Amino acid sequence: MIPVARAEIAPATTGSWQDVDLTAYLGDDAGDVAGVLLETSQNVTYDRNGNARKNGSSDSFTYYFSSKEHSYMAVGIDGDDIIELNRAHTDFRFWLVGYFKNSEAAFFTNWLIKTPSQIGWLDIDISGDTEANTATCAWTSARSTQYLKHFTIAQRCNGSTDDRTRILVNSHMASYATPVDGSEIFEFYISDVTDIQYFVLYLAGYSMSNINGWANAKDYSTGSTLSWNDTDMSGDIPEGNDGALVHLWPTVDAAKSYGLRKNGDEYDNYRYVMKHTHAWVALDSGRVCEQKVNSLDADLFLLAYTSQPAAPPPAVKAIVQAALISIPPLIVLPTLAQILKLTGGC
Amino acid sequence: MKEWKTPVRNWKGIQFEVLRRQVDPKFNQAHDVLSKAYYEGKPLVWKGKDWGILDKETFDKLHGLIFHQRTIAFHVANMKLPQSERILEAEYNDVLDVKGSVILRHTSEATKAIKNLKLQGIELEM
């Protein structure tokens, strides 16, 4: 996954699905991008509706965003670098934070339904959805459409014994990303399926490379509050990796505030997280990020780390051309006739 | 202008698959015709009407209109289904606030939007 400098993107028109062209943010990778990672946020005291989708999708739902909330989601992008955004009001804001090349991820135009039918931790097998590819990470979104019907949910890698669940707030959507096992299975928890028609789990897409994780997440909760603190993940993330996939999870059943940013960045995305979500943050070369929380109950767990695709080897033609340029010009000896002509000889 | 690429759409396993297979194709077609014309800088011709080369504002309005119309069509098709096969409106139409009140329905918003666009001369025959 390729991080980008956090950039606000938005359609000028509200209340309908609109194309947003992201070509300018993708550099030389334009035209070769499978999906984007967005941060969504609200910083006013009203609740707003909105959503994002791949261009060409007819997934039509929007979800509720509480005042002063932020979250993350992954969504596909078409071959022309266009996504579609819908927001009821300009208070609902979208930020581009990274993208996935076609070689490392795939996203569905229309999200697939993976809603569980039983309670508890269940295997969700996506091997039938990845065609000739092999997934290493599943990107999902979970949505509740009914008030007074709270579903306690969570997502984890297959084989994990992590048990960090929390309520999905009604009318909201939360997004998750977890490594899948070698059989392309992850696990999803839901507390109740009595009114399961009011809950939906979507599979937005999957990564095939450049993301490595563990079955059980690692605790990187900070010990101080209300200020930006360096979080050094180098003990678990090898050199050369520049992103961290994390679980923002409060130890109590209440919304907590989190800010996440690359070490040294100055933007302020310190906002509520409605119970729990997965998020992604860029890391500096030392594998350090910054976090800010409002409470020692606001825990953070490291699920996986991301890296960028390796630069492709130069084409053979380019190698040969470069070699030719570096060869000194041949010295051309004059013929005897030319010498005689110049010297006036016979 | 670059050549616009038609999206590859998947159907199997998506939400409301059966009804969407029935309802969505004509709106997808309209979306693709509109997008191809705009992004390739060519006149939009739809159902016998020549819109000429679109500016961004007109493109955005038409793009939004397509999906407002799709919202209505989906709801209408759903309501025609036998009761036992219908999708609950709460699953696709109702938008609740945190207190549980239905603050808007997508079909109502779409109806208003379509009417407003019509006043601006923005209409598409589907």
Side-chain angles (χ1 to χ4, degrees), chain B residues 25-38:
Chain B
K26 67 178 179 182
F27 298 100
N28 288 339
Q29 186 199 9
H31 168 275
D32 295 348
V33 169
L34 170 72
S35 298
K36 186 173 177 65
Y38 174 68

Side-chain angles (χ1 to χ4, degrees), chain B residues 22-60:
Chain B
Q22 173 194 328
V23 171
D24 288 354
K26 67 178 179 182
F27 298 100
N28 288 339
Q29 186 199 9
H31 168 275
D32 295 348
V33 169
L34 170 72
S35 298
K36 186 173 177 65
Y38 174 68
Y39 287 109
E40 294 184 4
K42 294 173 181 166
L44 169 67
V45 179
W46 178 258
K47 301 276 184 186
K49 178 172 177 178
D50 186 344
W51 289 79
I53 293 177
L54 302 172
D55 60 25
K56 184 162 196 315
E57 183 180 348
T58 307
F59 168 73
D60 283 349

Side-chain angles (χ1 to χ4, degrees), chain B:
Chain B
M1 298 275 180
K2 57 185 178 181
E3 184 187 350
W4 186 76
K5 303 177 190 71
T6 304
V8 175
R9 293 180 173 94
N10 55 305
W11 295 98
K12 187 178 173 213
I14 66 173
Q15 190 176 26
F16 314 137
E17 178 183 341
V18 172
L19 199 57
R20 284 169 68 178
R21 281 183 185 268
Q22 173 194 328
V23 171
D24 288 354
K26 67 178 179 182
F27 298 100
N28 288 339
Q29 186 199 9
H31 168 275
D32 295 348
V33 169
L34 170 72
S35 298
K36 186 173 177 65
Y38 174 68
Y39 287 109
E40 294 184 4
K42 294 173 181 166
L44 169 67
V45 179
W46 178 258
K47 301 276 184 186
K49 178 172 177 178
D50 186 344
W51 289 79
I53 293 177
L54 302 172
D55 60 25
K56 184 162 196 315
E57 183 180 348
T58 307
F59 168 73
D60 283 349
K61 287 178 179 175
L62 288 168
H63 190 283
L65 174 62
I66 288 169
F67 292 103
H68 289 313
Q69 290 174 309
R70 185 251 176 214
T71 295
I72 304 288
F74 182 90
H75 179 67
V76 168
N78 186 44
M79 290 296 112
K80 285 181 180 171
L81 293 174
Q83 184 84 30
S84 60
E85 292 173 33
R86 272 182 219 163
I87 302 163
L88 292 173
E89 279 196 69
E91 292 185 56
Y92 68 90
N93 204 13
D94 294 348
V95 180
L96 309 177
D97 66 12
V98 290
K99 294 185 178 66
S101 303
V102 178
I103 55 169
L104 61 90
R105 288 198 164 86
H106 290 300
T107 46
S108 303
E109 295 301 296
T111 302
K112 277 191 275 187
I114 291 168
K115 185 177 174 184
N116 186 39
L117 287 166
K118 184 177 178 180
L119 291 173
Q120 301 171 50
I122 306 289
E123 286 183 274
L124 281 177
E125 183 189 335
M126 295 303 296

Side-chain angles (χ1 to χ4, degrees), chain A:
Chain A
M1 192 186 118
I2 296 99
V4 300
R6 188 169 177 262
E8 184 165 10
I9 57 167
T13 305
T14 58
S16 61
W17 287 102
Q18 297 295 318
D19 284 6
V20 178
D21 188 340
L22 301 182
T23 304
Y25 302 98
L26 306 176
D28 292 340
D29 293 328
D32 187 24
V33 176
V36 293
L37 190 62
L38 304 178
E39 182 182 352
T40 52
S41 75
Q42 270 253 85
N43 60 349
V44 293
T45 54
Y46 300 105
D47 303 329
R48 302 293 188 200
N49 245 265
N51 202 3
R53 69 185 188 189
K54 186 172 176 179
N55 188 24
S57 174
S58 54
D59 286 337
S60 61
F61 68 89
T62 57
Y63 63 93
Y64 211 69
F65 220 38
S66 296
S67 62
K68 300 188 180 179
E69 181 184 353
H70 74 137
S71 187
Y72 293 78
M73 63 183 296
V75 66
I77 191 169
D78 76 358
D80 292 299
D81 308 317
I82 295 168
I83 63 170
E84 294 191 4
L85 301 178
N86 186 341
R87 56 181 185 174
H89 193 281
T90 52
D91 290 340
F92 193 123
R93 303 170 76 179
F94 300 89
W95 307 83
L96 176 67
V97 299
Y99 63 89
F100 308 83
K101 290 189 66 171
N102 283 323
S103 59
E104 54 180 348
F107 288 88
F108 304 104
T109 301
N110 296 315
W111 287 359
L112 304 186
I113 301 301
K114 294 294 181 184
T115 306
S117 56
Q118 304 291 330
I119 62 172
W121 283 106
L122 303 171
D123 280 4
I124 307 289
D125 182 348
I126 66 169
S127 61
D129 305 307
T130 58
E131 298 178 333
N133 300 318
T134 301
T136 56
C137 175
W139 296 85
T140 67
S141 289
R143 187 168 76 101
S144 163
T145 62
Q146 222 309 337
Y147 177 60
L148 292 179
K149 187 64 197 181
H150 297 305
F151 297 94
T152 299
I153 63 170
Q155 183 168 308
R156 69 185 186 190
C157 183
N158 191 22
S160 173
T161 50
D162 286 343
D163 200 18
R164 287 182 295 274
T165 66
R166 278 289 170 255
I167 283 172
L168 175 65
V169 178
N170 60 284
S171 309
H172 279 64
M173 186 170 85
S175 296
Y176 302 97
T178 42
V180 296
D181 69 1
S183 299
E184 302 179 276
I185 295 170
F186 67 92
E187 293 190 5
F188 194 85
Y189 176 90
I190 190 162
S191 57
D192 182 4
V193 295
T194 308
D195 292 305
I196 196 66
Q197 66 268 30
Y198 300 121
F199 174 81
V200 191
L201 177 65
Y202 301 95
L203 178 65
Y206 55 90
S207 291
M208 301 174 283
S209 60
N210 302 323
I211 183 162
N212 294 281
W214 307 271
N216 297 312
K218 297 164 184 282
D219 191 345
Y220 276 90
S221 306
T222 181
S224 61
T225 61
L226 301 177
S227 62
W228 288 98
N229 299 302
D230 282 4
T231 302
D232 184 347
M233 298 178 168
S234 60
D236 286 303
I237 299 179
E239 196 174 342
N241 295 282
D242 59 1
L245 188 60
V246 297
H247 184 189
L248 307 180
W249 184 80
T251 57
V252 295
D253 189 17
K256 297 294 175 185
S257 294
Y258 289 85
L260 277 181
R261 66 189 185 193
K262 183 178 175 181
N263 186 27
D265 275 353
E266 293 184 351
Y267 63 79
D268 187 352
N269 65 350
Y270 176 68
R271 302 275 185 278
Y272 282 125
V273 168
M274 290 309 286
K275 302 306 176 76
H276 74 136
T277 189
H278 289 179
W280 177 87
V281 60
L283 305 171
D284 70 5
S285 58
R287 283 86 75 216
V288 176
C289 68
E290 296 180 9
Q291 64 174 298
K292 178 180 175 182
V293 296
N294 70 327
S295 163
L296 294 178
D297 296 328
D299 280 4
L300 182 147
F301 293 85
L302 176 63
L303 298 163
Y305 53 92
T306 62
S307 59
Q308 303 190 31
V316 171
K317 181 179 176 183
I319 293 173
V320 170
Q321 284 177 333
L324 286 174
I325 289 167
S326 68
I327 294 172
L330 292 173
I331 298 172
V332 179
L333 295 173
T335 63
L336 180 60
Q338 286 171 323
I339 293 171
L340 289 173
K341 188 175 180 182
L342 285 170
T343 60
C346 57

